[in-house]
Amino acid sequence: MFTPTPLRRTYAAAIRDLRSQKPAVRESAAQDLLVVGSEHPREAADAVAPLIDDLDPKVRVAALHALGALDARHLLDAIERTLDDGDSGVRQAAVITLADIGGERARAAIERALAHGQADVRYQALLGLCKVDPARGLDACLMLLRSDDLWIAAEAAEQIGLHAELHPALFTDALRARVRASLGDVMNNDRGARVGVAASLSLARLGVAEAFPALIAFVRGDQPIEGDDAAMLLQEAVAALRAAPPEHAD
């Protein structure tokens, strides 16, 4: 049976429901304020702010996303504090919120988060820095290629290739040479299949022919990768191989 989508609250109703006794109501009220709070962003942000300490982690996540949408720059210190939350989803939402707000203070907080004790925070901090400051993000990617966390190292490798496509002006001849050497070193050393494939994909985006044999091995199943994103990586590898030189076509 068809059920119509519930109507979004008015601003006054959303503010009222932030104080509901029911966590699900507080959560949805914070979510509604992403939109209906736009005409009174500071007032709405101040009303949402107490929920970043809510007992329910889903409410805390919704509150943080609302603060990002409401551009709550005056609450950056409180937002940064939630990087140490006991819930992984909340910690990651805190980094995403900092990146959504942007600006120098938020960027500095994200850079500090690169050294956080929790790997999930470091991972999101890398993505956040790439978003708010691509040049600094690229430097961080090159540094984190050697991270002990292979998921972070793989993401760093992948982000370098994305930067080459999205921000080509950053890639001077000297930096391009450094990037090629760093990615090539990662690709040719035993850092695990995920890191090697990510490095190969980025080298392929840079037009480096040496990347194609590794991608062919991945597509053939010689370098299997576990994880929910394995199919997506396979699609990216196939797409990259379409641009392979004739001697690597298969």
Side-chain angles (χ1 to χ4, degrees):
M1 181 177 178
F2 174 74
T3 302
T5 302
L7 293 175
R8 183 175 289 119
R9 293 173 176 84
T10 64
Y11 176 74
I15 293 294
R16 178 199 66 213
D17 285 348
L18 292 174
R19 300 185 297 274
S20 171
Q21 295 297 311
K22 299 179 179 179
V25 175
R26 298 195 299 274
E27 178 187 3
S28 63
Q31 291 169 342
D32 281 351
L33 279 171
L34 269 77
V35 177
V36 300
S38 60
E39 292 187 6
H40 311 281
R42 189 178 183 108
E43 179 183 81
D46 287 341
V48 170
L51 295 188
I52 64 175
D53 294 316
D54 196 275
L55 292 177
D56 191 301
K58 291 182 179 180
V59 177
R60 301 200 295 276
V61 168
L64 284 165
H65 287 315
L67 292 178
L70 294 168
D71 198 27
R73 297 173 186 272
H74 64 298
L75 297 173
L76 282 172
D77 290 341
I79 294 167
E80 184 177 5
R81 173 171 53 78
T82 63
L83 293 172
D84 295 321
D85 193 277
D87 181 84
S88 175
V90 176
R91 293 194 298 269
Q92 294 185 65
V95 184
I96 293 169
T97 297
L98 290 170
D100 285 343
I101 292 173
E104 183 61 24
R105 285 182 59 207
R107 182 201 56 74
I110 293 170
E111 285 201 284
R112 288 192 291 272
L114 287 172
H116 196 276
Q118 296 285 353
D120 52 8
V121 174
R122 299 196 301 274
Y123 183 92
Q124 289 295 341
L126 176 62
L127 296 178
L129 188 59
C130 287
K131 175 182 177 179
V132 302
D133 193 329
R136 288 179 183 264
L138 183 56
D139 286 340
C141 287
L142 288 165
M143 176 186 70
L144 290 172
L145 285 174
R146 287 294 173 185
S147 171
D148 292 336
D149 188 305
L150 297 185
W151 284 88
I152 292 175
E155 188 60 44
E158 185 173 357
Q159 287 295 321
I160 290 171
L162 293 175
H163 271 60
E165 293 183 347
L166 297 174
H167 309 288
L170 295 176
F171 284 74
T172 62
D173 289 344
L175 182 58
R176 184 175 290 269
R178 179 188 170 198
V179 164
R180 289 180 59 167
S182 297
L183 287 173
D185 184 54
V186 170
M187 182 182 69
N188 293 319
N189 285 281
D190 187 15
R191 293 278 289 158
R194 175 175 293 278
V195 180
V197 168
S200 301
L201 282 168
S202 285
L203 284 170
R205 288 189 174 103
L206 289 164
V208 179
E210 289 79 5
F212 295 115
L215 291 178
I216 290 171
F218 172 52
V219 170
R220 286 177 173 169
D222 299 337
Q223 289 184 304
I225 290 178
E226 297 181 357
D228 295 339
D229 61 342
M232 181 187 68
L233 288 172
L234 184 60
Q235 290 177 353
E236 291 181 10
V238 170
L241 286 170
R242 292 197 182 103
E247 62 268 24
H248 296 300
D250 193 80

